[in-house]
Amino acid sequence: MSVSIRQIHPVFVGEVSGIDIARPLAPDEVAAIEAGMDRYAVLVFRDRRLTDERQMAFSRNFGPLEDARGGNITRPEDRRLEVGMNDVSNLDKTGRPMDRASRQRLFNLGNMLWHSDSSFRAIPAKYSLLSARIVNPIGGNTEYADMRAAYDALDAGTKALIEDLVCEHSLMYSRGSLGMLDYSEEERAMFRPVRQRLVRTHPVTGRRSLYLSSHAGAIVGVPTPEARILLRDLTEHATQRMFVYVHAWRPRDLVMWDNRQTMHRVRRYDESHPRDMRRTTVAGDAPTAAPVEAA
Ligand SMILES: [Fe+2]
């Protein structure tokens, strides 16, 4: 049986069939999925029973996994999952829903803001793969926005205005917008802003896209309030319903997305019940902008 992909949204997103991702893949199967990612930016695999081991092995077909350090405030001794797995559940290491006041929980609420994974890293992520192990009974949909379609729909004046702009991204900007403003010196150093172009060009297809994220809090050379108004305005444009796919999770779904071409967010859910979602992240291979010069 060969890989087939059916588009399930007017502008992007494909649902994949004809492939068993719990086994080692043949090179032509990997190539078919990569081509699907280039075209659809988000791929949905239904009813796949994956262990952490198999999810990591499947993910490595598309490049090395990202080193997750520096992406969260969770201490190593509080981790629930092994290295290589990003825990985006609401569970503590004993498997119970986190307390309401848990700093880890409050930090993770930032995933409910529109973002692109790891845009706060100097070399941001390529793909993310999210597997639903326990689905919450109420809410918890993940929404994806096609940043290529959003870019294409901008007027010529706006395209010219933003063409060469470079933003600064930090977890402190996204969390700061939720009122989380207290960080240790060590965290401040870890969350130091990085630079990202506002307009990206896909390395394979050559399509341009808006590279937005709630982690973006400044634009180089632009006064901060003006920069933030522009970023809000672009985000509002890019997340109009016509550019957004809503994924209602079923147990054993795997969704993979290209962070270079999309944004996403999770919606609120009933946090008294578990939501066990496990992410692997395929590392990117290059920065999008020249780094901040050393002082
Ligand atoms: Fe995310």
Side-chain angles (χ1 to χ4, degrees), residues 88 111 113 115-118 128 130 215 257 259 264-266 279:
V88 283
N111 291 325
L113 301 172
H115 66 282
S116 174
D117 288 335
S118 298
S128 294
L130 189 59
H215 307 310
W257 62 92
N259 287 296
H264 61 280
R265 67 172 176 181
V266 62
R279 197 185 89 201

PDB file of all heavy atoms in Angstrom, residues 88 111 113 115-118 128 130 215 257 259 264-266 279, ligand 1:
ATOM      1  N   VAL A  88       3.654  18.101  27.032  1.00  0.00           N
ATOM      2  CA  VAL A  88       2.703  19.217  26.953  1.00  0.00           C
ATOM      3  C   VAL A  88       1.355  18.792  27.535  1.00  0.00           C
ATOM      4  O   VAL A  88       0.301  19.235  27.111  1.00  0.00           O
ATOM      5  CB  VAL A  88       2.574  19.805  25.524  1.00  0.00           C
ATOM      6  CG1 VAL A  88       3.773  20.671  25.220  1.00  0.00           C
ATOM      7  CG2 VAL A  88       2.449  18.744  24.462  1.00  0.00           C
ATOM      8  N   ASN A 111       1.002  28.019  26.010  1.00  0.00           N
ATOM      9  CA  ASN A 111       0.714  27.265  24.783  1.00  0.00           C
ATOM     10  C   ASN A 111      -0.664  27.588  24.220  1.00  0.00           C
ATOM     11  O   ASN A 111      -1.002  27.156  23.117  1.00  0.00           O
ATOM     12  CB  ASN A 111       0.823  25.759  25.049  1.00  0.00           C
ATOM     13  CG  ASN A 111       2.258  25.339  25.300  1.00  0.00           C
ATOM     14  OD1 ASN A 111       3.180  25.892  24.702  1.00  0.00           O
ATOM     15  ND2 ASN A 111       2.447  24.391  26.201  1.00  0.00           N
ATOM     16  N   LEU A 113      -1.514  30.632  23.652  1.00  0.00           N
ATOM     17  CA  LEU A 113      -1.312  31.799  22.776  1.00  0.00           C
ATOM     18  C   LEU A 113      -0.796  31.295  21.426  1.00  0.00           C
ATOM     19  O   LEU A 113      -0.052  30.322  21.368  1.00  0.00           O
ATOM     20  CB  LEU A 113      -0.246  32.727  23.385  1.00  0.00           C
ATOM     21  CG  LEU A 113      -0.528  33.279  24.785  1.00  0.00           C
ATOM     22  CD1 LEU A 113       0.715  34.004  25.303  1.00  0.00           C
ATOM     23  CD2 LEU A 113      -1.716  34.238  24.737  1.00  0.00           C
ATOM     24  N   HIS A 115       1.498  30.599  18.558  1.00  0.00           N
ATOM     25  CA  HIS A 115       2.961  30.591  18.526  1.00  0.00           C
ATOM     26  C   HIS A 115       3.482  29.586  17.507  1.00  0.00           C
ATOM     27  O   HIS A 115       2.740  28.763  16.984  1.00  0.00           O
ATOM     28  CB  HIS A 115       3.526  30.250  19.913  1.00  0.00           C
ATOM     29  CG  HIS A 115       3.208  28.846  20.364  1.00  0.00           C
ATOM     30  ND1 HIS A 115       1.972  28.486  20.856  1.00  0.00           N
ATOM     31  CD2 HIS A 115       3.952  27.716  20.364  1.00  0.00           C
ATOM     32  CE1 HIS A 115       1.979  27.202  21.150  1.00  0.00           C
ATOM     33  NE2 HIS A 115       3.166  26.692  20.854  1.00  0.00           N
ATOM     34  N   SER A 116       4.769  29.676  17.267  1.00  0.00           N
ATOM     35  CA  SER A 116       5.500  28.692  16.475  1.00  0.00           C
ATOM     36  C   SER A 116       6.532  28.094  17.424  1.00  0.00           C
ATOM     37  O   SER A 116       7.242  28.832  18.112  1.00  0.00           O
ATOM     38  CB  SER A 116       6.176  29.397  15.293  1.00  0.00           C
ATOM     39  OG  SER A 116       7.002  28.484  14.600  1.00  0.00           O
ATOM     40  N   ASP A 117       6.595  26.751  17.509  1.00  0.00           N
ATOM     41  CA  ASP A 117       7.458  26.125  18.516  1.00  0.00           C
ATOM     42  C   ASP A 117       8.910  26.543  18.347  1.00  0.00           C
ATOM     43  O   ASP A 117       9.446  26.554  17.233  1.00  0.00           O
ATOM     44  CB  ASP A 117       7.354  24.595  18.437  1.00  0.00           C
ATOM     45  CG  ASP A 117       6.021  24.084  18.960  1.00  0.00           C
ATOM     46  OD1 ASP A 117       5.392  24.779  19.788  1.00  0.00           O
ATOM     47  OD2 ASP A 117       5.607  22.988  18.526  1.00  0.00           O
ATOM     48  N   SER A 118       9.511  26.867  19.495  1.00  0.00           N
ATOM     49  CA  SER A 118      10.950  27.186  19.540  1.00  0.00           C
ATOM     50  C   SER A 118      11.349  28.406  18.732  1.00  0.00           C
ATOM     51  O   SER A 118      12.522  28.549  18.383  1.00  0.00           O
ATOM     52  CB  SER A 118      11.805  25.990  19.088  1.00  0.00           C
ATOM     53  OG  SER A 118      11.614  24.907  19.945  1.00  0.00           O
ATOM     54  N   SER A 128       7.141  19.791  14.466  1.00  0.00           N
ATOM     55  CA  SER A 128       6.706  19.249  15.750  1.00  0.00           C
ATOM     56  C   SER A 128       5.748  18.110  15.468  1.00  0.00           C
ATOM     57  O   SER A 128       4.998  18.154  14.476  1.00  0.00           O
ATOM     58  CB  SER A 128       5.986  20.304  16.588  1.00  0.00           C
ATOM     59  OG  SER A 128       6.875  21.330  16.972  1.00  0.00           O
ATOM     60  N   LEU A 130       2.878  15.791  17.534  1.00  0.00           N
ATOM     61  CA  LEU A 130       2.156  15.726  18.799  1.00  0.00           C
ATOM     62  C   LEU A 130       1.232  14.520  18.797  1.00  0.00           C
ATOM     63  O   LEU A 130       0.426  14.345  17.880  1.00  0.00           O
ATOM     64  CB  LEU A 130       1.356  17.019  18.994  1.00  0.00           C
ATOM     65  CG  LEU A 130       0.700  17.237  20.356  1.00  0.00           C
ATOM     66  CD1 LEU A 130       1.721  17.234  21.490  1.00  0.00           C
ATOM     67  CD2 LEU A 130      -0.053  18.572  20.361  1.00  0.00           C
ATOM     68  N   HIS A 215       5.901  34.724  21.078  1.00  0.00           N
ATOM     69  CA  HIS A 215       7.229  34.972  21.653  1.00  0.00           C
ATOM     70  C   HIS A 215       7.861  36.247  21.085  1.00  0.00           C
ATOM     71  O   HIS A 215       8.836  36.750  21.634  1.00  0.00           O
ATOM     72  CB  HIS A 215       8.173  33.800  21.374  1.00  0.00           C
ATOM     73  CG  HIS A 215       7.633  32.472  21.792  1.00  0.00           C
ATOM     74  ND1 HIS A 215       7.109  32.255  23.045  1.00  0.00           N
ATOM     75  CD2 HIS A 215       7.525  31.286  21.126  1.00  0.00           C
ATOM     76  CE1 HIS A 215       6.706  30.986  23.125  1.00  0.00           C
ATOM     77  NE2 HIS A 215       6.937  30.383  21.973  1.00  0.00           N
ATOM     78  N   TRP A 257       3.430  19.148  12.240  1.00  0.00           N
ATOM     79  CA  TRP A 257       3.319  20.432  11.549  1.00  0.00           C
ATOM     80  C   TRP A 257       4.692  21.049  11.329  1.00  0.00           C
ATOM     81  O   TRP A 257       5.654  20.747  12.030  1.00  0.00           O
ATOM     82  CB  TRP A 257       2.409  21.402  12.303  1.00  0.00           C
ATOM     83  CG  TRP A 257       2.857  21.803  13.676  1.00  0.00           C
ATOM     84  CD1 TRP A 257       3.614  22.875  14.009  1.00  0.00           C
ATOM     85  CD2 TRP A 257       2.533  21.135  14.912  1.00  0.00           C
ATOM     86  NE1 TRP A 257       3.786  22.925  15.368  1.00  0.00           N
ATOM     87  CE2 TRP A 257       3.138  21.880  15.945  1.00  0.00           C
ATOM     88  CE3 TRP A 257       1.783  20.007  15.250  1.00  0.00           C
ATOM     89  CZ2 TRP A 257       3.031  21.518  17.286  1.00  0.00           C
ATOM     90  CZ3 TRP A 257       1.683  19.639  16.589  1.00  0.00           C
ATOM     91  CH2 TRP A 257       2.288  20.391  17.588  1.00  0.00           C
ATOM     92  N   ASN A 259       6.795  24.167  11.639  1.00  0.00           N
ATOM     93  CA  ASN A 259       6.808  25.431  12.390  1.00  0.00           C
ATOM     94  C   ASN A 259       7.271  26.611  11.553  1.00  0.00           C
ATOM     95  O   ASN A 259       7.087  27.759  11.945  1.00  0.00           O
ATOM     96  CB  ASN A 259       7.711  25.293  13.619  1.00  0.00           C
ATOM     97  CG  ASN A 259       7.072  24.442  14.682  1.00  0.00           C
ATOM     98  OD1 ASN A 259       6.039  24.797  15.245  1.00  0.00           O
ATOM     99  ND2 ASN A 259       7.665  23.279  14.951  1.00  0.00           N
ATOM    100  N   HIS A 264       0.287  27.801  15.846  1.00  0.00           N
ATOM    101  CA  HIS A 264      -0.748  26.972  16.470  1.00  0.00           C
ATOM    102  C   HIS A 264      -0.986  27.451  17.891  1.00  0.00           C
ATOM    103  O   HIS A 264      -0.194  28.211  18.456  1.00  0.00           O
ATOM    104  CB  HIS A 264      -0.338  25.492  16.466  1.00  0.00           C
ATOM    105  CG  HIS A 264       0.924  25.229  17.239  1.00  0.00           C
ATOM    106  ND1 HIS A 264       2.173  25.473  16.707  1.00  0.00           N
ATOM    107  CD2 HIS A 264       1.130  24.784  18.497  1.00  0.00           C
ATOM    108  CE1 HIS A 264       3.090  25.181  17.602  1.00  0.00           C
ATOM    109  NE2 HIS A 264       2.488  24.764  18.706  1.00  0.00           N
ATOM    110  N   ARG A 265      -2.098  26.979  18.459  1.00  0.00           N
ATOM    111  CA  ARG A 265      -2.402  27.218  19.880  1.00  0.00           C
ATOM    112  C   ARG A 265      -3.341  26.127  20.342  1.00  0.00           C
ATOM    113  O   ARG A 265      -4.103  25.563  19.542  1.00  0.00           O
ATOM    114  CB  ARG A 265      -3.059  28.588  20.090  1.00  0.00           C
ATOM    115  CG  ARG A 265      -4.428  28.696  19.477  1.00  0.00           C
ATOM    116  CD  ARG A 265      -5.133  29.997  19.863  1.00  0.00           C
ATOM    117  NE  ARG A 265      -6.414  30.112  19.167  1.00  0.00           N
ATOM    118  CZ  ARG A 265      -7.235  31.147  19.304  1.00  0.00           C
ATOM    119  NH1 ARG A 265      -6.905  32.159  20.088  1.00  0.00           N
ATOM    120  NH2 ARG A 265      -8.396  31.174  18.646  1.00  0.00           N
ATOM    121  N   VAL A 266      -3.298  25.836  21.647  1.00  0.00           N
ATOM    122  CA  VAL A 266      -4.278  24.904  22.213  1.00  0.00           C
ATOM    123  C   VAL A 266      -5.370  25.736  22.875  1.00  0.00           C
ATOM    124  O   VAL A 266      -5.117  26.850  23.333  1.00  0.00           O
ATOM    125  CB  VAL A 266      -3.609  23.924  23.210  1.00  0.00           C
ATOM    126  CG1 VAL A 266      -2.998  24.650  24.388  1.00  0.00           C
ATOM    127  CG2 VAL A 266      -4.610  22.877  23.704  1.00  0.00           C
ATOM    128  N   ARG A 279       5.024  15.539  22.782  1.00  0.00           N
ATOM    129  CA  ARG A 279       5.558  16.127  21.562  1.00  0.00           C
ATOM    130  C   ARG A 279       7.012  15.727  21.340  1.00  0.00           C
ATOM    131  O   ARG A 279       7.791  15.672  22.289  1.00  0.00           O
ATOM    132  CB  ARG A 279       5.489  17.651  21.663  1.00  0.00           C
ATOM    133  CG  ARG A 279       5.628  18.370  20.326  1.00  0.00           C
ATOM    134  CD  ARG A 279       5.666  19.873  20.544  1.00  0.00           C
ATOM    135  NE  ARG A 279       7.029  20.322  20.744  1.00  0.00           N
ATOM    136  CZ  ARG A 279       7.352  21.473  21.350  1.00  0.00           C
ATOM    137  NH1 ARG A 279       6.423  22.275  21.822  1.00  0.00           N
ATOM    138  NH2 ARG A 279       8.615  21.813  21.488  1.00  0.00           N
TER     139      ARG A 279
HETATM  140 FE    FE B   1       3.442  24.596  20.620  1.00  0.00          FE
END
